[in-house]
Amino acid sequence: EQVRLAPAHYGSINRVAIATLPLFAVLVYLLYEAVIRPKQPIYKVKGDDDAIIEEAWEQTPPLIPLFDMVIVFLVIEGISMLLWTYTIIFIPRRRRLMQSYLDMGESSLGNVMIDESINHHRSNVCCRNRIIYGHVEYTHPDSLDQIQKRVRLYQPYAREKVTILRIQHRPFSGQPKTDIIIDILASEAAR
């Protein structure tokens, strides 16, 4: 049962591109406003007669202050950079990490327990896809010590004697194999 990720992550990039289109539209509008600003009557006033300035001001449509344009631009740029950084750096790394569990993982048997205290608190928050947390418990590969670790689960029930995968030379990296497979298949379906 070999699960492989596709080499590209175009689905995530396309989603971010589509999600940032409204932000891009706002920036285009602000650029348009900045370009037509010098053509407004208030900027063509010659002299310092108050009556001429008052008449030009009345003919000028409402203007967005330049400082507000700069603030909006910086906020949009910050949001865009966060989205692109997450999409280009963190999503591929996470997918490679999940795949490395299946490719190079060492297996052992362990138990999966649902953490009701965390899940009860999170269920009070209104969210469509509730994230379920639990603990895996397995034996350390070099000793007889029991390791208990909090993990994200995709199957919302406790399980005994399931396959726990660990990354080589990282004995505290245990994850339930079925949850890893579900995670990888879900990321492929999201593309």
Side-chain angles (χ1 to χ4, degrees):
E1 177 181 337
Q2 183 69 11
V3 177
R4 298 290 297 160
L5 288 177
H9 52 281
Y10 296 120
S12 300
I13 290 176
N14 289 339
R15 282 196 186 113
V16 170
I18 290 170
T20 56
L21 281 178
L23 302 177
F24 180 70
V26 169
L27 292 180
V28 168
Y29 173 73
L30 292 178
L31 183 61
Y32 170 75
E33 285 287 321
V35 167
I36 66 167
R37 180 179 288 260
K39 299 174 186 170
Q40 300 299 331
I42 192 69
Y43 290 101
K44 295 180 180 179
V45 174
K46 297 201 179 1
D48 57 355
D49 185 15
D50 287 344
I52 296 173
I53 293 173
E54 185 74 28
E55 181 182 332
W57 186 253
E58 289 175 2
Q59 293 174 356
T60 303
L63 298 174
I64 299 173
L66 291 175
F67 188 71
D68 291 350
M69 288 185 188
V70 170
I71 289 175
V72 169
F73 174 79
L74 291 175
V75 167
I76 288 174
E77 188 66 24
I79 291 170
S80 296
M81 293 312 302
L82 286 173
L83 286 172
W84 284 108
T85 301
Y86 179 76
T87 302
I88 292 173
I89 294 174
F90 293 109
I91 289 177
R93 281 187 180 181
R94 185 173 182 282
R95 289 180 178 166
R96 280 193 303 270
L97 175 66
M98 289 293 120
Q99 189 63 46
S100 70
Y101 274 101
L102 293 177
D103 292 343
M104 303 176 298
E106 300 171 341
S107 64
S108 63
L109 290 179
N111 300 324
V112 177
M113 297 154 293
I114 301 296
D115 193 344
E116 294 298 332
S117 62
I118 295 172
N119 294 322
H120 176 69
H121 170 68
R122 290 184 181 268
S123 68
N124 293 336
V125 179
C126 179
C127 56
R128 192 177 69 137
N129 294 328
R130 196 178 85 155
I131 298 172
I132 301 165
Y133 287 96
H135 288 92
V136 290
E137 190 175 275
Y138 57 97
T139 306
H140 192 285
D142 299 329
S143 66
L144 295 177
D145 296 335
Q146 284 288 92
I147 296 174
Q148 187 174 20
K149 176 186 168 196
R150 189 175 126 189
V151 294
R152 179 179 181 179
L153 300 173
Y154 290 90
Q155 296 178 324
Y157 51 86
R159 296 164 270 169
E160 291 184 2
K161 295 186 180 178
V162 296
T163 303
I164 305 292
L165 295 177
R166 301 178 318 272
I167 297 175
Q168 291 178 349
H169 309 296
R170 294 188 179 183
F172 297 103
S173 66
Q175 298 280 337
K177 182 178 180 180
T178 53
D179 293 297
I180 292 172
I181 291 171
I182 292 170
D183 186 14
I184 290 173
L185 293 175
S187 70
E188 282 185 348
R191 293 180 198 201

